[in-house]
Amino acid sequence: NAGVTQTPKFQVLKTGQSMTLQCAQDMNHEYMSWYRQDPGMGLRLIHYSVGAGITDQGEVPNGYNVSRSTTEDFPLRLLSAAPSQTSVYFCASSLDFPKGVAGNTIYFGEGSWLTVV
Amino acid sequence: GQNIDQPTEMTATEGAIVQINCTYQTSGFNGLFWYQQHAGEAPTFLSYNVLDGLEEKGRFSSFLSRSKGYSYLLLKELQMKDSASYLCAVRDHGNSGYSTLTFGKGTMLLVSP
């Protein structure tokens, strides 16, 4: 993948535990986002950021927190994990997404497989 | 909100042509993407349409009709490695003023010998 790094790749949590999924990109992208992917549901947007200090909610934000203190990093926090948060999580970034530049592609990280028991 | 529909599954034969349709409803359309996703991997970019018409890129082509809220991805000379999920995604301007990308549920394509 083109410079989007997600960690960890696999994680098992107990209900009620907290954890942070890390996402970093080295392409100086302004736009970063988190999606979750569940069978039969497709990719659903959790939170996104259009630059350092600016975040907004997506389609399924409940149970997740984000912050964007630097351009490079966009961590996703689960404060109290629930079995419904068992999913594959993808971080994505792009250079200039909100301005609608033609052909501006989005780069995805390799995914994080999270199981909450 | 947005509504994006695409078939759940399709099957085709190696060497054939297949067309995957996508219909969408959105209030602030600003482009349509197609992504390919192999099992256990991240989506990878295939094509982008923002104006009506056909965009061709090798064996893959994508068509858009904004007035009909309709797009298709055309795959020619199918190969076994084309077996994957194909995701239609629509970008629009949300209420916050920022663009977001919404994905359909994906079409699983199985290519058989």
Side-chain angles (χ1 to χ4, degrees), chain A residues 35-109:
Chain A
Y35 289 86
R36 60 177 290 174
Q37 188 172 36
D38 303 291
M41 297 298 293
L43 284 158
R44 292 182 292 169
L45 182 65
I46 304 171
H47 285 284
Y48 66 100
S49 170
V50 299
I54 306 171
T55 64
D56 201 356
Q57 296 180 352
E59 179 185 356
V60 288
N62 293 339
Y64 307 95
N65 282 351
V66 293
S67 61
R68 184 91 179 272
S69 56
T70 66
T71 299
E72 294 77 20
D73 300 298
F74 190 44
L76 179 70
R77 299 182 185 85
L78 287 72
L79 297 180
S80 179
S84 61
Q85 294 178 303
T86 294
S87 187
V88 182
Y89 291 85
F90 288 99
C91 177
S93 75
S94 61
L95 180 63
D96 203 10
F97 190 76
K99 296 182 182 178
V101 175
N104 183 16
T105 192
I106 293 177
Y107 296 91
F108 283 87

